[in-house]
Amino acid sequence: MDQKEHLSRYLTRSRDDLVRKLDGLSEYDVRRPLVPSGTNLLGLVKHVATVQLGYLGDVFGRPSGIETPWLTDESEPGADLWATPDESRGFVVDLLQRSNAHADETVRALPLDAPGDVPWWGPDRRAVTLHQILVHLTVETARHAGHADVVRELIDGGLGNGPADPNVPDRDADGWRRHHDRVEAAARAAGH
């Protein structure tokens, strides 16, 4: 596997991890903000789809033609981080799929050293390569998938990538409560 395939595989996995967090939840739960910043699952998906269109589209002179009316000069800051009532889950997931297809097309079409320009970065950083942007976007997508992990746990206790995830210990509710209490006790002891 070459470097481009390797980077693409990790980006795809992070995207899949993120969108999988919507599975089995109601329209309300995928939109529900559970932290003061308003972070919510559907908003994270919308955000990743949106920024990907910029980074793997506009930055390399390959605009997607996909409309993002939440990114106009008149839009409120963070409008890409939540879904309006008329932006359904289906709409946002379709947006991500179209964004993924456009991004993947850009990656296939260009070499890793292809130059790009990120106009929203400072002048000392804005000249980039496809390699840099693939790393940046993969890290950002994984970061947002991590946010989604926490939000999903707050909604229904769902952890990792489901019951068969080898990275999540096999504990029942009592086991998790005992683990939580042990971690809390350690924090209190360290705080004294």
Side-chain angles (χ1 to χ4, degrees):
M1 182 178 307
D2 70 13
Q3 283 188 10
K4 191 192 298 188
E5 289 177 69
H6 197 71
L7 289 165
S8 294
R9 187 179 72 174
Y10 276 92
L11 177 57
T12 298
R13 182 175 178 185
S14 291
R15 291 170 182 156
D16 292 347
D17 288 347
L18 174 62
V19 79
R20 193 174 14 256
K21 292 300 172 180
L22 305 176
D23 291 350
L25 295 177
S26 70
E27 197 70 30
Y28 169 70
D29 282 337
V30 298
R31 298 161 177 277
R32 199 163 90 168
L34 293 169
V35 294
S37 66
T39 301
N40 64 90
L41 296 173
L42 199 59
L44 290 168
V45 174
K46 180 180 173 183
H47 174 71
V48 166
T50 302
V51 299
Q52 183 172 244
L53 290 171
Y55 282 118
L56 288 173
D58 302 328
V59 165
F60 294 98
R62 297 174 56 87
S64 67
I66 297 170
E67 291 188 32
T68 53
W70 48 89
L71 285 185
T72 67
D73 291 337
E74 295 80 38
S75 299
E76 68 175 89
D80 65 323
L81 287 163
W82 63 283
T84 64
D86 52 325
E87 294 171 340
S88 70
R89 173 196 332 229
F91 168 81
V92 174
V93 170
D94 179 66
L95 173 68
L96 179 65
Q97 291 169 343
R98 291 184 297 137
S99 174
N100 291 347
H102 183 74
D104 293 346
E105 189 177 300
T106 296
V107 172
R108 280 191 299 275
L110 301 175
L112 283 176
D113 62 353
D117 180 74
V118 184
W120 52 90
W121 288 3
D124 58 323
R125 298 179 49 215
R126 64 187 288 166
V128 296
T129 64
L130 178 63
H131 182 267
Q132 286 174 275
I133 292 303
L134 274 171
V135 170
H136 175 78
L137 195 55
T138 301
V139 168
E140 284 298 305
T141 304
R143 178 174 173 245
H144 293 312
H147 295 144
D149 282 340
V150 173
V151 172
R152 180 66 190 247
E153 184 177 354
L154 290 169
I155 291 169
D156 69 354
L159 296 171
N161 289 320
D165 189 333
N167 294 314
V168 177
D170 185 19
R171 293 186 174 119
D172 62 11
D174 287 337
W176 283 112
R177 194 168 16 267
R178 285 191 305 274
H179 175 71
H180 173 275
D181 292 349
R182 184 173 45 252
V183 174
E184 175 67 24
R188 287 182 185 277
H192 290 296

